[in-house]
Amino acid sequence: MNEIAEIINGTLHSGIPVEITEYSIDSRSVVTPEHTLFFALTGNNHNGHDYIPTLYADGVRAFVISEFREEFKLLTEANLIVVENVLAALQQLAAHHRQQVNAEVIGITGSNGKTVVKEWLYQLLSKDFLIYRSPRSYNSQVGVPLSLLGIDARTEIAIIEAGISQKGEMKRLQQMIRPTVGIFTHLGDAHGENFASTQEKLAEKAQLFTSCSWVIGQSGEAMEYIKTQLPATVSCLLWGEDENAQIQVKTLNITGGHREVQITYNGTNFRLDIPFADIASFENCMNVVSTMLLKRYSPDTIYSRVQQLSAIAMRLEIKDGINNCTLVNDYYNSDPSSFQLALNILATQDSSKERVVILSDFMDTGKAGDDLYPSIAETLRQANISLFIGIGKHLCEHRHNFAVNSRFYEDTEHFLRQEDRENFKNQIILIKGARAFQFEYIAGFLQKQSHSTILEVDLDAMVYNLNHFRSLTDAHLAVMVKAFSYGSGSREIASLLQYHRVDYLMVAFADEGIELRAAGITIPIAVMNPEREAFDNMIMFNLEPEIYALDILEDFNQALKKHGIKRFPVHIKLNTGMNRSGFDEQDIPQLLEFFNTERSVYIRSMFSHLAGSDEAKHDEFTLGQIHLFERMTERIQAQFNYKIWRHILNSAGIERFPQYHFDMVRLGIGLHGISAANAQLQAVSSFKTYISSIRNVPEGQSIGYGRKSYTTRPSRIAVIPVGYADGLNRHLSNRIGNVFVKGKRVPIIGNICMDTCMIDITDTDAAIGDEVEIFGKHIPVTELAEQLGTIPYEVLTGISFRVKRVYYKE
Ligand SMILES: *Cc1c(COP(=O)(O)O)cnc(C)c1O
């Protein structure tokens, strides 16, 4: 600890001796507490110092902090290093660690392709070198230092991604990474809102390469500009079709998903058969091939390794399984560090269910040693896994290292033959296998079978939107998860929001809240329509009622007394112009009178709801509501000696009335990608199905019930298994609605049926099995709502329950 304190210029308050092997900034994902050094970072919405007592209770004994709080004096065994800036200290430590290792460091930057290039380099080089690479896309100011700290003494090559979003960031990353070889992957189209021009952005990215002896990239304007920013000590190795490129490359032909290219380098000619046809894969592949050429690999070796490149699955799927199980399918890759990340994700799921891990032998371990499987067994023990199933010869050999409750199979086929579906109930199952093990069969075996019309929920998009709204406010954040979180799912979404530390969840009815508690949600939950029959359950499960009238308040207070509970939080709803529910201004004296005697409730917040916050034409009215709200809340607050929170804004309000955030805001539709201020949010839900059959229909024939549409030419008509019973509104029939197939919009033809409908695919080459989007990333849900003369809320909440929800995450 002394040494670390010295490196980061901190003052050490010593505790018991510790040996540090893990560095953490996130209290939720600590795996080995006794060996963890926790950095208490402070951000806009959270402060790592708040979690120190809990971490201490969990066994963590080493912390880097910037404020020494009185309560820390009680943590007698803790080693506390006090520094001025915790993030800077983390970066300093990482920079120091980087200087101590002898590994060659490859630094990758660019707008797209960083992760693929990193993973492919690993696929191509790990036969010959002990390689370390940054996990997933840990490429930020916080991610890079954590990546660097993972490099160990035996590492021969470390591959580190660097990503930036504004000026000045790359310099700091460069000082830590100090790459010896740089790769510039690809410049995106836009220069991004934080850069004045593309040149400014390039100049920033070029900073990464100042310490390199070689920089690899595609010959062209971007690299020419980058060159001008680099000292003479840096050489460039460029590939491309033009003369400036040292590595000349020409595409010979593209067939069957392969691209054959001809390469000329240093007077030698050779061919490559790239197992991908698309241009992005070609560029990524050329960057890794250039790296191999720099390392003097022979054309033969390059040819055979490139042929074996496999796609990098970037995402992780969370699906409903049989018998109330949840499946987490991770097809990312098969190595210990990605396994660790998958376990972290498992930790964020519904905590009421047992955890099961099904794992195959690792394939991409490169030259990892014999202690690999024992250390995996140890990790599983610490991660509280109740059942482990290992598949593969190596895992079978190491079975004695694993805890009692584990089973082993030589291969996937044995698993499928010997396991029974009834063995899996109410569990969260992580399925993580190397490609060769074909774990998709296991996923299929455990998956709930239902028709394949799905609502795909992009959790990364949701987090992106959440962070966007967060960046707009300093107030506490409540998220409305009523109506199955606007149709997207209750447990999964609430777990995600809890993980991202929102302050409150709000549901419409007590039942919804009880379900969330059963799913392990512990953050505060408010219920907007508390019904008297549910009072006892609400008290038991800590669900805080919205109080919109005096009789409810009296009855709830009675219920609390019966249970002998004091200071139970409630939320007082005020009517300021919505005229739906809530106390009017003239009701305030009665309300205050109620509190003249000792009461069991405690007012946590006072709030109101705006009737037209999304439309400028109502702004005057809205401001009137807000001012009335201020007046009413001041009157109420004056009678209490504790602070009562105030909140009035929904999503549109948060964007349009930044001066009225008060103590909390209530985010709803914005989380789902809909902005009242044209903010660039991401679409979260995609309603998708597939083509189940195709028929050729001559000109002049009617299609479907009631004979409402006719073909006007010889047509190809496809059936898709989605109908009005799934939530596809029947008003979209007969060419009013479109769907998106094979890169094109095509019309719905004929009347929509209960379980199916027909689409006209004459203008496409679509085939049976092709995916069809009803709304999502290509057809915005707002467009569908407009066609139907309604609002996106109704479309989203109208997707029926029989449509399976599938969650994705990178
Ligand atoms: C649904 C709801 C919100 C969220 O509204 P959005 O327009 O979806 O942001 C906020 N407050 C209350 C009281 C609500 O019922």
Side-chain angles (χ1 to χ4, degrees):
M1 289 305 297
N2 266 320
E3 196 191 332
I4 295 178
E6 217 164 278
I7 297 166
I8 61 179
N9 294 323
T11 318
L12 174 65
H13 299 252
S14 293
I16 58 167
V18 284
E19 186 202 341
I20 302 299
T21 55
E22 189 181 333
Y23 301 87
S24 172
I25 54 149
D26 184 342
S27 61
R28 298 158 299 196
S29 60
V30 168
V31 178
T32 48
E34 62 278 24
H35 298 303
T36 295
L37 175 58
F38 180 78
F39 288 83
L41 296 177
T42 47
N44 280 345
N45 287 290
H46 88 281
N47 184 337
H49 295 80
D50 297 344
Y51 305 101
I52 290 180
T54 315
L55 284 163
Y56 186 84
D58 291 343
V60 179
R61 290 292 177 267
F63 304 89
V64 178
I65 58 176
S66 57
E67 29 171 318
F68 194 99
R69 297 184 181 172
E70 202 51 35
E71 53 181 328
F72 297 163
K73 288 193 180 143
L74 302 173
L75 315 179
T76 48
E77 292 185 0
N79 295 277
L80 296 156
I81 303 179
V82 188
V83 296
E84 222 155 83
N85 178 327
V86 176
L87 176 60
L90 172 66
Q91 296 179 339
Q92 248 167 316
L93 186 64
H96 176 84
H97 183 75
R98 155 72 183 97
Q99 291 302 312
Q100 305 309 303
V101 297
N102 285 320
E104 169 178 353
V105 177
I106 302 181
I108 307 178
T109 194
S111 306
N112 304 312
K114 294 188 287 290
T115 304
V116 174
V117 168
K118 177 182 71 182
E119 295 299 327
W120 277 359
L121 272 178
Y122 181 79
Q123 287 183 9
L124 295 178
L125 301 178
S126 61
K127 283 199 182 69
D128 312 307
F129 300 95
L130 204 55
I131 296 187
Y132 171 84
R133 63 208 195 280
S134 34
R136 295 240 164 160
S137 39
Y138 273 30
N139 59 25
S140 64
Q141 295 293 318
V142 178
V144 165
L146 290 175
S147 293
L148 291 168
L149 287 166
I151 304 177
D152 77 23
R154 298 170 308 157
T155 304
E156 290 162 337
I157 300 180
I159 312 174
I160 306 290
E161 262 183 72
I164 51 157
S165 54
Q166 47 187 305
K167 267 176 85 168
E169 290 187 334
M170 193 58 98
K171 181 121 198 87
R172 265 175 283 152
L173 297 183
Q174 188 275 334
Q175 285 168 349
M176 286 183 271
I177 305 172
R178 294 193 177 274
T180 43
V181 172
I183 299 178
F184 182 74
T185 56
H186 181 93
L187 181 70
D189 307 327
H191 48 74
E193 48 195 69
N194 293 324
F195 294 95
S197 65
T198 303
Q199 293 209 331
E200 189 178 277
K201 184 167 160 187
L202 280 172
E204 179 69 26
K205 298 209 169 188
Q207 295 290 313
L208 178 64
F209 304 131
T210 50
S211 59
C212 292
S213 40
W214 284 95
V215 175
I216 290 164
Q218 180 174 15
S219 166
E221 275 174 33
M223 278 307 297
E224 285 312 310
Y225 188 76
I226 285 178
K227 267 192 203 171
T228 66
Q229 304 292 307
L230 297 176
T233 46
V234 183
S235 318
C236 289
L237 180 60
L238 304 183
W239 59 268
E241 293 189 25
D242 58 293
E243 295 92 77
N244 294 337
Q246 293 111 301
I247 303 172
Q248 295 282 326
V249 54
K250 216 167 81 199
T251 295
L252 300 175
N253 71 65
I254 297 178
T255 42
H258 282 234
R259 178 188 290 252
E260 195 183 1
V261 302
Q262 160 96 33
I263 290 180
T264 310
Y265 175 61
N266 269 350
T268 347
N269 279 316
F270 61 100
R271 290 187 177 201
L272 285 183
D273 171 22
I274 304 173
F276 301 91
D278 64 287
I279 188 86
S281 299
F282 167 64
E283 292 178 6
N284 292 333
C285 182
M286 283 312 299
N287 282 317
V288 298
V289 165
S290 304
T291 313
M292 289 186 89
L293 288 170
L294 185 65
K295 294 195 160 298
R296 301 176 195 284
Y297 274 92
S298 71
D300 285 348
T301 312
I302 296 178
Y303 181 89
S304 70
R305 292 201 186 165
V306 163
Q307 227 180 4
Q308 291 161 24
L309 279 180
S310 57
I312 306 299
M314 304 286 283
R315 39 187 215 174
L316 185 125
E317 291 176 348
I318 304 168
K319 284 187 173 173
D320 281 342
I322 49 165
N323 307 327
N324 197 27
C325 288
T326 301
L327 308 183
V328 180
N329 298 337
D330 183 356
Y331 303 124
Y332 186 63
N333 51 22
S334 162
D335 68 289
S337 66
S338 75
F339 177 60
Q340 182 65 54
L341 284 163
L343 282 183
N344 293 349
I345 286 162
L346 201 63
T348 66
Q349 303 296 310
D350 188 343
S351 57
S352 65
K353 294 184 176 177
E354 284 187 352
R355 265 98 178 109
V356 176
V357 170
I358 305 179
L359 178 74
S360 78
D361 283 355
F362 291 111
M363 306 294 271
D364 307 342
T365 49
K367 288 161 54 180
D370 287 341
D371 49 0
L372 176 62
Y373 290 102
S375 89
I376 293 294
E378 177 60 18
T379 309
L380 286 168
R381 198 182 56 73
Q382 283 164 348
N384 245 327
I385 301 301
S386 45
L387 168 65
F388 174 72
I389 298 182
I391 298 181
K393 294 208 170 61
H394 294 295
L395 277 163
C396 284
E397 274 164 29
H398 285 91
R399 60 192 310 156
H400 57 275
N401 290 306
F402 290 83
V404 203
N405 201 7
S406 42
R407 305 198 274 271
F408 294 84
Y409 299 98
E410 212 171 297
D411 53 32
T412 302
E413 203 184 322
H414 280 87
F415 169 93
L416 292 171
R417 257 195 256 142
Q418 289 166 36
E419 287 284 343
D420 192 319
R421 287 176 121 201
E422 289 309 302
N423 298 347
F424 301 90
K425 277 201 185 92
N426 302 314
Q427 293 156 328
I428 299 203
I429 309 173
L430 171 65
I431 302 175
K432 183 156 177 62
R435 209 164 299 270
F437 283 87
Q438 298 191 303
F439 270 18
E440 46 291 5
Y441 288 109
I442 296 184
F445 177 75
L446 296 174
Q447 189 174 315
K448 192 155 138 190
Q449 306 294 343
S450 69
H451 77 313
S452 296
T453 295
I454 59 168
L455 188 74
E456 195 178 281
V457 181
D458 180 342
L459 297 178
D460 295 317
M462 191 173 268
V463 170
Y464 178 90
N465 299 339
L466 178 71
N467 288 337
H468 170 76
F469 280 90
R470 257 210 174 126
S471 74
L472 301 181
T473 186
D474 292 327
H476 290 98
L477 185 65
V479 178
M480 314 307 292
V481 293
K482 58 197 182 196
F484 207 51
S485 292
Y486 293 50
S488 63
S490 51
R491 294 172 164 232
E492 295 78 4
I493 304 304
S495 301
L496 182 81
L497 294 169
Q498 169 163 287
Y499 181 78
H500 286 278
R501 298 194 168 123
V502 309
D503 300 289
Y504 258 90
L505 296 177
M506 294 202 183
V507 294
F509 298 98
D511 280 351
E512 297 175 336
I514 293 170
E515 182 181 344
L516 295 185
R517 288 287 183 243
I521 302 297
T522 53
I523 60 177
I525 299 177
V527 176
M528 291 189 296
N529 304 284
E531 291 154 315
R532 286 184 176 75
E533 310 80 77
F535 280 177
D536 292 332
N537 270 331
M538 290 179 55
I539 293 168
M540 177 134 96
F541 290 106
N542 244 321
L543 304 171
E544 307 170 10
E546 163 186 328
I547 300 292
Y548 51 81
L550 202 56
D551 53 343
I552 300 267
L553 183 56
E554 280 163 352
D555 293 349
F556 192 70
N557 197 60
Q558 248 358 84
L560 287 170
K561 265 201 194 147
K562 189 178 77 189
H563 291 276
I565 287 174
K566 289 232 151 54
R567 286 180 73 75
F568 194 93
V570 301
H571 304 268
I572 301 287
K573 173 80 169 285
L574 304 172
N575 177 32
T576 55
M578 174 86 171
N579 292 321
R580 181 172 63 178
S581 59
F583 292 89
D584 287 325
E585 192 168 26
Q586 64 265 29
D587 302 331
I588 293 182
Q590 266 186 305
L591 172 66
L592 293 179
E593 207 182 295
F594 172 85
F595 285 97
N596 280 342
T597 37
E598 170 82 20
R599 296 301 182 179
S600 301
V601 296
Y602 151 84
I603 308 180
R604 162 46 66 81
S605 82
M606 308 178 268
F607 74 107
S608 187
H609 197 33
L610 298 174
S613 66
D614 55 338
E615 290 179 297
K617 67 175 177 204
H618 301 305
D619 282 357
E620 203 178 317
F621 180 81
T622 301
L623 288 170
Q625 278 198 278
I626 295 173
H627 293 136
L628 175 56
F629 177 68
E630 287 183 305
R631 205 164 67 224
M632 289 169 75
T633 51
E634 269 161 33
R635 242 175 105 184
I636 300 172
Q637 177 67 71
Q639 185 166 320
F640 294 86
N641 58 9
Y642 56 85
K643 156 100 177 147
I644 304 175
W645 289 4
R646 296 187 295 171
H647 46 106
I648 193 168
L649 299 181
N650 64 342
S651 308
I654 301 172
E655 293 184 287
R656 301 190 60 245
F657 297 93
Q659 62 278 46
Y660 297 114
H661 287 172
F662 298 111
D663 304 295
M664 185 153 84
V665 294
R666 303 187 304 268
L667 177 62
I669 196 86
L671 185 68
H672 303 272
I674 290 156
S675 166
N678 287 318
Q680 293 302 305
L681 299 179
Q682 298 185 3
V684 170
S685 293
S686 302
F687 191 16
K688 287 183 171 174
T689 186
Y690 67 97
I691 293 180
S692 54
S693 67
I694 296 176
R695 146 187 331 270
N696 290 314
V697 181
E699 185 181 334
Q701 300 276 313
S702 70
I703 306 286
Y705 281 128
R707 309 187 61 210
K708 295 286 191 204
S709 300
Y710 284 78
T711 51
T712 55
R713 54 180 174 171
S715 303
R716 290 173 76 227
I717 303 297
V719 178
I720 54 178
V722 56
Y724 55 79
D726 297 295
L728 179 62
N729 195 303
R730 196 164 167 281
H731 291 112
L732 294 167
S733 298
N734 303 311
R735 303 185 202 271
I736 301 216
N738 289 308
V739 297
F740 190 84
V741 188
K742 284 286 214 148
K744 282 211 181 96
R745 285 170 177 244
V746 305
I748 295 175
I749 183 167
N751 272 328
I752 293 172
C753 314
M754 188 184 290
D755 309 305
T756 57
C757 71
M758 279 71 87
I759 56 177
D760 180 351
I761 54 163
T762 315
D763 293 329
T764 72
D765 61 354
I768 290 177
D770 280 345
E771 185 175 279
V772 177
E773 174 188 299
I774 297 148
F775 67 73
K777 311 257 179 210
H778 302 97
I779 300 186
V781 64
T782 43
E783 179 184 326
L784 213 65
E786 247 164 64
Q787 285 174 332
L788 290 167
T790 183
I791 49 177
Y793 303 72
E794 187 182 349
V795 178
L796 289 172
T797 54
I799 308 294
S800 108
F801 280 98
R802 82 173 182 193
V803 173
K804 190 163 46 170
R805 270 66 176 171
V806 178
Y807 301 91
Y808 282 110
K809 188 176 189 131
E810 248 192 30

